[in-house]
Amino acid sequence: MNTAVLIDLSYLVAAVLFIMGLKGLTRPRTAVRGNLLGALAMAIAVVATMMHGDVIGWGTILTGMAIGSILGAVLAIRIEMTAMPQLVALFNGLGGAASVLVAGGYLAGQPDLESMSVSVATAASGLIGAVTLSGSLVAFGKLQELKFVRDVSFSGQQMINAGLALTCLLLCYLLVSRPDSAVLWFWLMSVLALGLGVLLVISIGGADMPVVIALLNSYSGLAASATGFVLNNNLLIIAGSLVGASGLILTRIMCEAMNRSLGAVLFGTLQSGSSSLSDEEAYATVRSTSAEEVAMMLEVAQNVLIVPGYGMAVAQAQHAVRDLTNLLLARGIEVNFGIHPVAGRMPGHMNVLLAEADIAYERLLEMDQVNSTMDQVDVAIVLGANDVVNPLARTDPNSPIAGMPIIDVDRARTVVVIKRSLSPGFAGIANPLFGAENTLMLFGDGKAAVVEIGKALQES
Amino acid sequence: MSGFLSDALTILADAAVADASAAASADASGHVMLLVTVFVLAVFVGVEVITKIPPTLHTPLMSGSNAISGITLIGAILAAGADHGPTAAVLGFLAVVLAVMNVVGGFMVTNRMLAMFRTTKK
């Protein structure tokens, strides 16, 4: 058997392993193995590629791999779980950057592109890769709360975006139709695409982040696929399209969970339609409570639901929540968690934090599950969440969150909202839940409040 | 989903058609169609498999699939290793570094996350 066939067969094995690996992720029990299968597939693909007849400079490659491995490993080991959204954004960007560089390197190696399909693919690699790179870096900066990355929106932004996008496409066309100066067109286009990525993401922030991260995830896959078309490599095409599909599915789930179209997230910020409810009206009947009072309520409860939001991540309260959960479980009280799909800054954000704190994943329930049993909940504790529990989504068709599926905590017997103040969430509207007659506000830092409740519970 | 698929198909089919007229070789266009076929079928497989992944695992799915998208590494190795002049070698080298970071970091952090998901219910 000659080497080329052997390499192709290895690629086939790798492709199959990638698919089996993703399949493993469908259950927590098999997920670790699934991830390892993916890593194995990657290793097989790399070794096979090193055997390729064209690959002569092993020294450079191995040096590059050593540097990249160390950097990647250090990041992976040292990152805090609360910083996971930033890390995912950063890794997305790296994939995009690699696609641009590979396409650019290909072009530098053989400037006369042999066929139109290859030049189209090269242009696509550069365009998608560059948008992914700069968009991801901006997303990273926002999530990391770097000072120089702020939400920027200015009038005519969409016109500029459209102009940039059109110019990029024009340059792609030139790249395809005038291959003699393809290198020039490619880099010019890539630079403009970097600018486009920045402008696309810079105006999006806060609660819309999960959509952006999922979409950039999808782009990083599509960029890899496009590179596969450049290099005529099936494995890149298959792996890239798997990731592209994954990102698109997540994007769609996130958009549905906010009842907004992808276009609305990307191009308009929130609809400006404000709610008719003023803060004074909504908060006239707010009652605040103390940790001791909450502890007394919990003592006599049978069924407790905790609804976490981004505030839990900010307060790093997940371990305190675990301790409280264990105290309640020890008293025979049922404790579950209601996770809204867009709670946090990326898909599944809350689940990872609670898993980190050793809370069994069976207790992490989806929105539909908890809503169907909400009437049996004695005490619902809302921890650092706001818009995702705002009943206006159901009742006020003019509010910016109208129609968004929410967790109906207002239907629980008693609701305790742990929050620093009555300040609005990302949607910028009042939340009538806080003034509802079955709601008690526990003002303070999320972590400190949960610890206090636990203490009061132990003392009683 | 179907919107994206049909868009992607149209673009790629256009590319394939344009290719056919340019290369004036039936073989070349047939080959591109083969790649497009692989792409589309893989998207369908991806959708089938990934739709079944529960929301609890969505973050590991993102970081894990992100590591898989680091498959560009293969392209980077080809660019860095082939003898296509210094520019290609430098770009290839940088691509190798970034892609490996993506791959190694992605799989490792996914593993770290997944190891935390456990069941303690009796």
Side-chain angles (χ1 to χ4, degrees), chain A residues 25-26 35 54 56-57 69 76-77 79 91-92 95 116-117 225 231-232 241 243 250 346-348 351 358 360 362 366, chain B residues 18-19 31-32 39 42 50 54-57 59 62 65-66 69 75 81-82 84 100-102 107 112 116 118-120:
Chain A
L25 280 180
T26 48
N35 185 52
D54 285 354
I56 42 179
S69 300
I77 293 169
I79 194 88
F91 282 157
N92 277 337
M116 186 171 275
S117 61
S225 244
L231 302 174
N232 195 0
S241 57
V243 180
L250 290 176
M346 72 176 161
N351 305 73
D358 248 342
E362 290 95 339
E366 291 170 39
Chain B
D19 185 75
H31 185 69
V32 173
F39 175 78
I50 288 148
T56 287
L57 293 176
T59 295
M62 279 216 304
S65 67
N66 183 243
S69 79
H84 285 314
V100 169
M101 251 179 101
N102 188 1
F107 280 124
R112 204 182 128 196
M116 301 182 320
R118 49 178 86 95
T119 166
T120 48

Side-chain angles (χ1 to χ4, degrees), chain A residues 251-310:
Chain A
T251 308
R252 196 186 52 182
I253 295 173
M254 294 301 113
C255 283
E256 277 172 9
M258 297 196 298
N259 191 34
R260 297 172 66 198
S261 70
L262 181 58
V265 175
L266 292 184
F267 299 116
T269 36
L270 275 170
Q271 293 135 288
S272 47
S274 64
S275 120
S276 49
L277 189 76
S278 72
D279 281 11
E280 290 76 39
E281 281 176 89
Y283 300 147
T285 51
V286 164
R287 287 178 301 157
S288 65
T289 182
S290 64
E292 289 73 24
E293 200 184 344
V294 176
M296 277 190 284
M297 285 189 303
L298 289 174
E299 248 189 330
V300 294
Q302 282 171 357
N303 192 344
V304 173
L305 179 75
I306 301 177
V307 180
Y310 183 57

Side-chain angles (χ1 to χ4, degrees), chain A residues 279 283 386 419-426 428-431 434 443:
Chain A
D279 281 11
Y283 300 147
N386 191 345
K419 209 172 169 314
R420 284 180 175 279
S421 67
L422 287 170
S423 61
F426 181 68
I429 52 169
N431 190 340
F434 302 163
F443 292 108

Side-chain angles (χ1 to χ4, degrees), chain B residues 86-110:
Chain B
T87 320
V90 169
L91 292 173
F93 173 74
L94 285 176
V96 168
V97 173
L98 297 182
V100 169
M101 251 179 101
N102 188 1
V103 168
V104 173
F107 280 124
M108 279 181 71
V109 87
T110 308

